Amino acid sequence: MKKITRLPNHIAIIMDGNGRWAERHGLPRLGGHQAGAENMHSVIEYFIKLKLKYLTVYGFSTENWKRPQEEIAGLLHLLEEIIDKETLELHNRGVRLRHLGRLDELPQGLQQAINKALELTKNNTGMTLSFAFNYGGRTEILDAVRHIIAEGIPPQSIDEELFDSYLYTAGLPEVDLVIRTAGELRLSNFLMWQAAYSEYYFTKILWPDFGNKEIDKALLSYSQRRRRFGAL
Ligand code: FPP
């Protein structure tokens, strides 16, 4: 049997397929998101156990505002519930939380809950768990450009390192592996700058069904790849 010989340092996941999962189980879409949230909990647990350093999950994109009002409200509510229920446990396990995206466009109560969780966990030294919520890769790049111009940074001093430090992900390492569930083969505006040299793993498994065995398959696939970063 083949073994996982090399673990990525930073994994980013597009948790897709909650809606289809709900449909297959005769449930409303929110039931699928609920199941997705439960799976997210076990996936985080598993990665803590594996001692992964950085995990980033895509919870809500800037494009998701186009969904029906009821689904948006449900997702916002679910996130608030997750923060409420899980923060202390994550803190006790040494997890440092980060938020990626435009925070100021979220409801006040949610902003406060997020800020409180970030503050509580900011000095933790275990896994860094970044939550992309109201996140868009293009928006992130535009926000960085605006910020750089507003600060009057001279054009000749703008290099990749400086640009990196103006992104929501400032201080996070490159993404080694992007995982996307539910069969779609696209990046959907996720971490476009950061995933320029990532490896990709796509699976048809729907997010609520993406368990430890499926994670092992993704990790095995990653550990068999040869990364060259443009060199020979
Ligand atoms: C994509 O499935 C999933 C989302 C848009 C939200 C991800 C949310 C969770 C995993 C729930 C817990 C997390 C948070 C942050 C609330 P989809 O709805 O696009 O599925 P479909 O393509 O099958 O319709």
Side-chain angles (χ1 to χ4, degrees), residues 14 39 58-59 149 153 169 179 183 188 195 215:
I14 303 173
N39 190 51
Y58 206 4
I149 293 173
I153 311 274
T169 51
I179 296 174
S188 298
I215 294 175

Side-chain angles (χ1 to χ4, degrees), residues 102-128:
R102 281 192 179 162
L103 193 62
D104 58 357
E105 290 174 355
L106 296 174
Q108 281 281 328
L110 186 53
Q111 286 186 38
Q112 278 163 9
I114 293 174
N115 279 329
K116 222 171 110 190
L118 301 186
E119 184 59 31
L120 177 73
T121 61
K122 70 177 183 200
N123 295 322
N124 289 345
T125 54
M127 185 171 86
T128 297

Side-chain angles (χ1 to χ4, degrees), residues 54-86:
Y54 297 87
L55 177 66
T56 299
V57 290
Y58 206 4
F60 192 89
S61 75
T62 45
E63 288 69 38
N64 286 151
W65 295 108
K66 296 180 202 149
R67 292 195 177 197
Q69 203 47 50
E70 190 191 330
E71 184 170 347
I72 296 172
L75 282 167
L76 294 173
H77 181 72
L78 195 52
L79 180 61
E80 207 157 353
E81 221 175 66
I82 292 169
I83 295 171
D84 200 41
K85 241 178 36 198
E86 316 265 359

Side-chain angles (χ1 to χ4, degrees), residues 16-25 29 181-184 206:
D16 197 10
N18 295 345
R20 276 162 280 176
W21 187 91
E23 201 176 316
R24 278 181 206 174
H25 290 77
R29 289 184 61 81
T181 57
E184 246 62 71
L206 305 176

